[in-house]
Amino acid sequence: MGTRLQTLVLLLLSFATNLAVSLAKESGDYSKFHHNQSQHGLPTEQGTVHTEELLETNDSSKAQLYRRALIYLALGLVGLANRKRLSVAFTFAYSCFFKRLGHHDNQQGRLNAFYKGQATVYDATRGRLLRGRRTMLKLCAAELAHTVSAQTGTIGGSSGGGNSGKDGENGRPVWVDVGGGTGWNIEQMDEFFAIGNFKHVYLVDLCEPLCRVAQQRFKAKGWTNVTVVCMDAASFTLSGLATPEGAADLVTMSYSLSMVEDFYPVIDRLARILKPRTGIMGVADFYVSGTTEQRSFSKHKQTTDAVTAAADVAKTGKHRLGYHCNWFTRVFWQHWFEFDHVFLHPCRREYLENVFATHKVYNGRNHFVVPQLIQVPYYVWLGKRVPSDTVRDTDSLAITTASAAKKADAGICARKGWERLPYCPDRPEHAQFNTYIYAFTWEDPRCDLQALDLKPGDNLLVITSAGDNALAYAAHQRQITLHCADMNPCQNHLLELKLACLRTLDYSQFWELFGAGKADGFADILDSRLSPWLSSEAYQYWKNNTAAFGGAQGLGGWSLAKQSIGDMLLGPSGLYTTGYSGLALRSLHVMMRLTGIRDTAQKMTRQGMTLSEQTHLWRQRMRGWVRGALATWFLDNPVIMWQLLGVPINQWNMLRSEGSMSQYVRDTIEPVVAETSLADDNYFYHLVFALGYSRTCCPDYLTKQGFESLQQTLIDADSESSRPTFRLHTATILDVLAGMQPGELTKAVIMDHMDWFSMQDAQQEVSALARAMASGGIVLWRSAARLPWYSEVFEKNGFAVDAISVRQPNTIKPLDRVNMYASFYKATKL
């Protein structure tokens, strides 16, 4: 080190001397400078001069010389400190762009020549390019841990180091990493699922230089159960396994499928090696989509029953949210990577998804080098062996048996207390939504429960919304079945996330996510804990929206910048400031901040605030603003009401017909403030003002008792013989009812959505409810009108209609803790 440093300093001094000469020339002092050199013995072209004479140059030249010399010295020291990085970069650049590979007869020869000089720097140069590898490993580890949990009967199960492996030598999992290269995947997996818990790990790769790096890595780690197999992926053998067919619990391919020239036999071989039912196939790789996404559903008749939806999903390549690439991306990256013998043609992924049943998939974009400008498509995919009775169309490479598609999809949801029924995300009624409208439910379940009088065995139809009320019903009566229907897939994604968290997390973690609405580690929890319990669509949605819980984990520079700017302008972000309802809350808080009443509003939610103190603060500080012209204009604008509050034009017209907007505001807010505590009971307005809940003021499912009750309900329903407590339908209520047997339902809660309807729509839905509802069954709804016009439609279809409560002008008693609707009705099937 000392010799290298001395050499560097001498070089820098030489640069400084040459720089001094050039500066002297520029300033006209070169002749004097050269004369002084020759007299005093410092080095020149002719002789030497002494350093004292150099100091006689003019002050300007000396100052410039010193500055330039210091810059050179600093750059040299920086280069010395980063010599390893520079060496890695030069090695990578030379091997990839300048090194001549020569002619080779086979792929192994070409790979050996290409990686020979860069095998030792491979891992250091691929981190930013090969995205999704750690995500794929975490998902696979979570699936392995989930399998262990199912076998041992423990709750949830988590991945990571420690004793996550199966009990007994014969029951421990076997992992085959195909195209594993330097062994980076295996080293990383030890963080999520300890390598010592595998019975055996096989790294299969054709490149000898990379395999040597892997062998050295595993030897240093002391892993005796890891074997490096330097063979072709289509014909490798696994020592120690008498019959490799059906022996592997996990098979992975990390950016290797796109490099395999003859990929058909490789995929077929891996399918035979993978264990039936429980085995997991994991892939992370580049891809490009086809020119168009094929549609398997009829454009004329849009049915959404489970079997049809399962077939639709299977034929379109299954769960391809974010799959499609634009023309430039498809053409450019496919040809760019072909220069390096990396093949991105869609047929590879199509065949993979044909041989295996898709279990999880995430389609991402690597914003490499220049964010938002350079976007390399990549995907993380998990699959299982397709059932043997599946019929394939070899021309389109699509699964065509609807029953088999249903097994592949719905089977994933089995044994976890709920079922997410298949649906096709490409259908227009679902594709119109890219987020949920409601991050929280805005109807009071306390009044619902009083009117429903739930009994064991009840079969309920409810609108999902944010899922809060469905959870409240299940917490109150455990032995019921809830059909949660919503046309917006994102509303079901939200409920599915809550169910997965109930099943896997403890109460403090659950509270952090849904009580406070913030969790910095959500991205890691999603991959490592929740992913086995989520449908592929729900996982993709939350993978793309990890920022919903306010944390910066997993955000790129551009996304982090957008979130920071939003937090600065609109206040802190969290779950309850997302969706359309969240935008409304943020807008409200901006207005309250500008008018100076935000602190007062939040003070009203603090624990210990009495009802009289709350009323006093309201009347003194807030009532004038809330009932003022700006708030009235806000509510009197149909565009704002729809975009921010989800109130459609039909319902807005019903609202207007009941009186002026200022009267509506008065009748809504005044009784709530006067009769309910925003600090201890009314969690609806507590959330509006505090942007989160408190332990003493929250929905039933967020209480410790409610959490434990729901968790036990899901555990009890988690068996082959039990019917799921929750069945999540991504469909219209009309479609859900069409799939039910006559008299199957006992109760239904349809909120206020019939306010949105025309007469024809109302007639169709009420008729369907009458067919599916058992005698004596009841339907509950709320309305913006005191006398909703569709009550007569219920009566004509065999229901007896009763008003549970109707709000009168200038009343002082609220209908419920929300008090935003003018009426609450019940219809009983005669």
Side-chain angles (χ1 to χ4, degrees), residues 725-743:
T725 301
F726 296 87
R727 305 193 79 218
L728 278 59
H729 304 260
T730 306
T732 65
I733 287 182
L734 198 61
D735 289 327
V736 175
L737 292 171
M740 291 184 171
Q741 297 297 319

Side-chain angles (χ1 to χ4, degrees), residues 622-636:
M622 294 189 64
R623 180 165 62 179
W625 178 83
V626 172
R627 295 178 63 179
L630 180 60
T632 301
W633 173 85
F634 184 88
L635 295 173
D636 208 20

Side-chain angles (χ1 to χ4, degrees), residues 97 202 220 664:
F97 304 113
Y202 297 91
Y664 170 79

Side-chain angles (χ1 to χ4, degrees), residues 306-315 318 354 386-393 396 398-409:
V307 173
T308 303
D312 289 346
V313 170
K315 289 181 180 179
K318 199 171 173 77
N354 179 57
V386 173
S388 58
D389 62 341
T390 299
V391 178
R392 296 187 184 92
D393 179 349
S396 63
I399 300 172
T400 57
T401 302
S403 61
K406 187 177 180 183
K407 288 179 183 179
D409 188 272

Side-chain angles (χ1 to χ4, degrees), residues 63-85:
Q64 292 181 19
L65 185 151
Y66 292 148
R67 284 197 297 269
R68 298 285 181 89
L70 287 173
I71 291 173
Y72 273 97
L73 180 61
L75 290 174
L77 293 175
V78 170
L80 181 64
N82 293 275
R83 65 190 185 282
K84 184 175 181 180
R85 291 185 180 180

